[in-house]
Amino acid sequence: AQSVSQHNHHVILSEAASLELGCNYSYGGTVNLFWYVQYPGQHLQLLLKYFSGDPLVKGIKGFEAEFIKSKFSFNLRKPSVQWSDTAEYFCAVNAYNRLAFGKGNQVVVIP
Amino acid sequence: SQTIHQWPATLVQPVGSPLSLECTVEGTSNPNLYWYRQAAGRGLQLLFYSVGIGQISSEVPQNLSASRPQDRQFILSSKKLLLSDSGFYLCAWSKLAVRQETQYFGPGTRLLVL
């Protein structure tokens, strides 16, 4: 079964700082990759996804992620965070019709 | 557009009592449906999924069961709750039973078993 690793569960940074969250997965076949975000008190919602094509994927709210097949990675980035980016971020991998989630990154942006 | 509802939003139940959490999807037909449990610092764990009425697959052995009595209704149940059943339960749906699918999540139910 596939597994997903997210490191640095708690991330604290100031507004305008750059954010990068790592995601590594263990599955050798073709995968679909997702980043979900859960803002305080809100639904878990899709931030961006990669199925095929350009490995650099742009999502909502200025986020992007890069799929590096050789590294089994799908890291999330945002060049300049805002206070409203405070949320929990989950990486997920879909293989064999199952969605496997990482443990999440709790990101706190200080104004 | 499609929407997904879960209720109740919050539930406090005594140990040994039964449980019924409901999830309904609007605006689509024949969705795949999923129940997850989210624990702090542990991500989301898939509990059950269903590709059609009466079709339930269990991912992990546990005190819970699921049923799908109607196309867009998915129910999570227990006959006797345990303390360890406390958690945040999320329902999700997706449209296609193929690898290229996106799952969309409901607002969740927070369950506290005392």
Side-chain angles (χ1 to χ4, degrees):
Chain A
Q2 67 271 27
S3 66
V4 183
S5 298
Q6 292 180 246
H7 307 289
N8 301 323
H9 180 65
H10 290 96
V11 177
I12 301 174
L13 60 168
S14 300
E15 276 193 317
S18 64
L19 173 68
E20 180 161 359
L21 302 178
C23 173
N24 291 90
Y25 62 93
S26 63
Y27 178 67
T30 303
V31 294
N32 301 136
L33 301 160
F34 305 82
W35 276 96
Y36 283 86
V37 60
Q38 189 169 31
Y39 298 103
Q42 295 189 27
H43 295 206
L44 194 66
Q45 57 186 284
L46 183 68
L47 195 58
L48 48 77
K49 61 187 177 184
Y50 173 79
F51 288 164
S52 63
D54 188 345
L56 185 62
V57 180
K58 295 193 182 299
I60 60 172
K61 302 187 180 184
F63 284 90
E64 64 179 28
E66 184 175 13
F67 170 52
I68 303 179
K69 188 175 181 179
S70 61
K71 295 185 177 180
F72 298 91
S73 70
F74 190 54
N75 293 353
L76 181 71
R77 297 192 292 255
K78 184 169 183 178
S80 177
V81 295
Q82 300 172 316
W83 174 79
S84 57
D85 293 321
T86 294
E88 190 157 17
Y89 295 81
F90 294 93
C91 181
V93 175
N94 189 346
Y96 294 127
N97 224 19
R98 302 285 190 278
L99 199 59
F101 283 84
K103 293 184 178 181
N105 296 106
Q106 183 66 56
V107 175
V108 175
V109 180
I110 300 171
Chain B
S1 63
Q2 301 85 5
T3 55
I4 179 168
H5 304 279
Q6 287 185 246
W7 62 89
T10 305
L11 190 61
V12 181
Q13 291 284 98
V15 170
S17 65
L19 173 73
S20 180
L21 303 182
E22 190 165 341
C23 169
T24 58
V25 181
E26 296 177 355
T28 187
S29 60
N30 196 31
N32 293 333
L33 296 171
Y34 308 83
W35 277 112
Y36 290 87
R37 177 162 51 203
Q38 182 180 8
R42 297 176 62 182
L44 279 76
Q45 180 187 33
L46 180 62
L47 302 176
F48 301 94
Y49 75 95
S50 172
V51 298
I53 295 174
Q55 301 178 61
I56 308 295
S57 296
S58 174
E59 289 294 296
V60 293
Q62 58 211 317
N63 185 44
L64 302 169
S65 61
S67 62
R68 186 168 175 175
Q70 299 180 40
D71 180 45
R72 291 168 291 173
Q73 185 184 33
F74 204 24
I75 296 172
L76 184 68
S77 304
S78 174
K79 292 182 179 179
K80 286 186 178 181
L81 282 169
L82 305 172
L83 285 173
S84 57
D85 291 325
S86 293
F88 191 55
Y89 291 85
L90 287 168
C91 181
W93 73 274
S94 65
K95 182 54 181 173
L96 297 171
V98 295
R99 194 169 50 240
Q100 285 198 3
E101 62 178 45
T102 300
Q103 292 186 19
Y104 299 93
F105 288 81
T109 294
R110 192 165 300 282
L111 172 66
L112 179 59
V113 182
L114 301 175

